[in-house]
Amino acid sequence: QLEEKIKHLSHGERVIINTFIQKGKAELQSKSGRAHSMKYDGGFLMQCLLLKWKSSSTYAHLRKSKILPLPSASTLRRRLSSSECKFGFNELALENIKKALGNLPDADRWGSLMWDEVSLKKDLTWHSKRLEWHGVVDFGEEIESAVKKGIATHALVLMFRPYKGSWVQPFACFASLNAASSTILHGVILKATVLLYNHKAIVKNF
């Protein structure tokens, strides 16, 4: 009955309602002395992390007042420490796009592919566990042949925005030396368009 009543809501709104229910179950189990575990949706955790980065005081207020079923700061830290951060296309972000658009008609899956570049402070560090340098040019395994090697000075970020949705989802990030060239942009955008289509998103405009 609940699923029937909330099916007209957006994916994000449905996730929040279901998270409230799961959190209530976990708290009930905790009070009864039984083992409990709280599993959060991956996309919801990402939004929580972005909110905390924007304003820790706002995050703390929303969590303390129980306006939103937000995880603790330690939960976010554990999630971050267990996640592998790397450049290239983010499969988790693409899967969340697919989850949000999967059951919609084609007309509701149209959107824009957007990108932006930001300057980075040069910083070269050695990652002892992975035995590799961090801070160098990195396009994942996408277009290695067209990439100039060196210390990264810019980050290229790709995002998808549905025309009939109020959200924007970043799904790729690349580290480049200076602004990305037209050859690099062409290769990245072409692959991004194909990946988005495979994950139920239809790019109608750049």
Side-chain angles (χ1 to χ4, degrees):
Q1 291 178 340
L2 177 63
E3 291 296 331
E4 181 66 23
K5 291 181 181 296
I6 67 174
K7 67 179 184 180
H8 66 283
L9 299 177
S10 69
H11 171 71
E13 291 169 331
R14 294 197 303 272
V15 167
I16 290 177
I17 291 174
N18 288 322
T19 304
F20 264 123
I21 294 173
Q22 295 299 322
K23 194 172 184 66
K25 290 180 179 179
E27 290 179 353
L28 184 62
Q29 289 178 340
S30 177
K31 290 179 180 179
S32 64
R34 291 179 292 171
H36 67 282
S37 61
M38 179 64 193
K39 294 183 179 180
Y40 290 93
D41 177 83
F44 179 74
L45 278 176
M46 182 60 69
Q47 293 300 323
C48 291
L49 183 61
L50 292 175
L51 174 61
K52 192 173 188 309
W53 278 347
K54 289 180 179 179
S55 176
S56 293
S57 58
T58 300
Y59 188 92
H61 172 73
L62 292 175
R63 186 172 186 275
K64 184 178 180 180
S65 303
K66 297 187 177 181
I67 297 174
L68 290 173
L70 302 176
S72 65
S74 60
T75 299
L76 290 177
R77 285 194 295 270
R78 286 198 304 271
R79 184 59 182 260
L80 278 176
S81 63
S82 63
S83 300
E84 183 180 7
C85 296
K86 59 182 181 180
F87 289 101
F89 290 100
N90 188 308
E91 186 60 31
L92 175 60
L94 289 168
E95 285 299 322
N96 281 319
I97 292 175
K98 184 177 181 179
K99 186 183 298 183
L101 303 178
N103 296 322
L104 300 179
D106 285 358
D108 293 339
R109 295 192 285 120
W110 294 352
S112 294
L113 171 60
M114 306 182 297
W115 62 88
D116 195 10
E117 283 187 306
V118 295
S119 297
L120 300 177
K121 180 180 179 181
K122 289 186 177 182
D123 182 27
L124 188 62
T125 57
W126 175 251
H127 194 295
S128 58
K129 292 184 178 180
R130 298 181 60 181
L131 301 179
E132 62 184 18
W133 289 103
H134 283 187
V136 297
V137 172
D138 191 346
F139 276 74
E141 300 176 356
E142 314 310 330
I143 49 173
E144 289 291 339
S145 60
V147 177
K148 294 181 179 179
K149 304 299 182 181
I151 299 177
T153 61
H154 287 70
L156 171 66
V157 181
L158 273 64
M159 299 159 279
F160 177 76
R161 180 171 187 171
Y163 293 145
K164 294 189 176 181
S166 58
W167 49 272
V168 177
Q169 176 64 66
F171 64 93
C173 184
F174 308 97
S176 64
L177 176 61
N178 302 320
S181 66
S182 58
T183 301
I184 292 176
L185 282 175
H186 180 269
V188 168
I189 291 171
L190 182 62
K191 182 158 187 176
T193 303
V194 173
L195 285 174
L196 285 171
Y197 184 80
N198 290 339
H199 288 78
K200 306 299 182 182
I202 304 175
V203 176
K204 303 296 287 187
N205 188 29
F206 296 130

